[in-house]
Amino acid sequence: MRSIHRQWSVDTAAKNLDGLMDHIAEDVVSYEHDAPLRHTGVERVREVCRRGLAASSGSVGWEVPDLTVLVDGDVAVAWGLNRMTARPPDGTATESWSRGTRVFRRRDGEWVMVHQHLSYPYDPETGEARTDLTP
């Protein structure tokens, strides 16, 4: 699980969309930050990732610094806070944090993500999503 997350970080920095899809199941269900909130199938998740990578003309980064992993047989769950960074060519940096939970199954000897749930914390007074929080 940790090596898959590390590789996703490397692939994000390289904007390697094919690499990001290497451990995504064909029948994945991903609950994303933006509408539509549920994306079913690897091609739908691929499009979300493509749009995310294209949103920054400069560098982009993704990591889960507090990754927790639980494995039992052919099922694994990984969760933590996602840190996204983007630095356009003009040098201004942006950072956002969200929560992520990912479920993996071992299929034919390979771990693939079958479910993902991403969410932003929210301000209970306004109900608005908050991405500018540092853990």
Side-chain angles (χ1 to χ4, degrees), residues 56-132:
S56 175
S57 58
S59 67
V60 63
W62 175 84
E63 65 176 333
V64 185
D66 68 336
L67 183 66
T68 300
V69 176
L70 178 64
V71 179
D72 188 2
D74 289 335
V75 176
V77 180
W79 65 90
L81 297 174
N82 304 307
R83 178 178 177 254
M84 293 291 306
T85 56
R87 184 175 303 275
D90 70 6
T92 59
T94 60
E95 176 182 84
S96 69
W97 290 88
S98 65
R99 299 171 289 224
T101 302
R102 295 165 186 89
V103 179
F104 295 81
R105 289 192 63 195
R106 191 178 354 232
R107 292 184 176 168
D108 300 321
E110 297 289 325
W111 287 105
V112 292
M113 186 178 76
V114 295
H115 174 71
Q116 174 174 241
H117 187 123
L118 305 173
S119 64
Y120 288 122
Y122 78 102
D123 181 334
E125 291 184 23
T126 66
E128 297 293 318
R130 299 282 311 272
T131 62
D132 59 342

Side-chain angles (χ1 to χ4, degrees), residues 28-83:
V28 66
V29 175
S30 184
Y31 296 114
E32 297 284 341
H33 297 113
D34 300 320
L37 298 177
R38 181 179 57 214
H39 298 268
T40 303
V42 68
E43 289 307 315
R44 296 282 303 274
V45 171
R46 180 183 186 85
E47 179 57 21
V48 170
C49 291
R50 186 199 63 74
R51 284 193 319 261
L53 294 175
S56 175
S57 58
S59 67
V60 63
W62 175 84
E63 65 176 333
V64 185
D66 68 336
L67 183 66
T68 300
V69 176
L70 178 64
V71 179
D72 188 2
D74 289 335
V75 176
V77 180
W79 65 90
L81 297 174
N82 304 307
R83 178 178 177 254

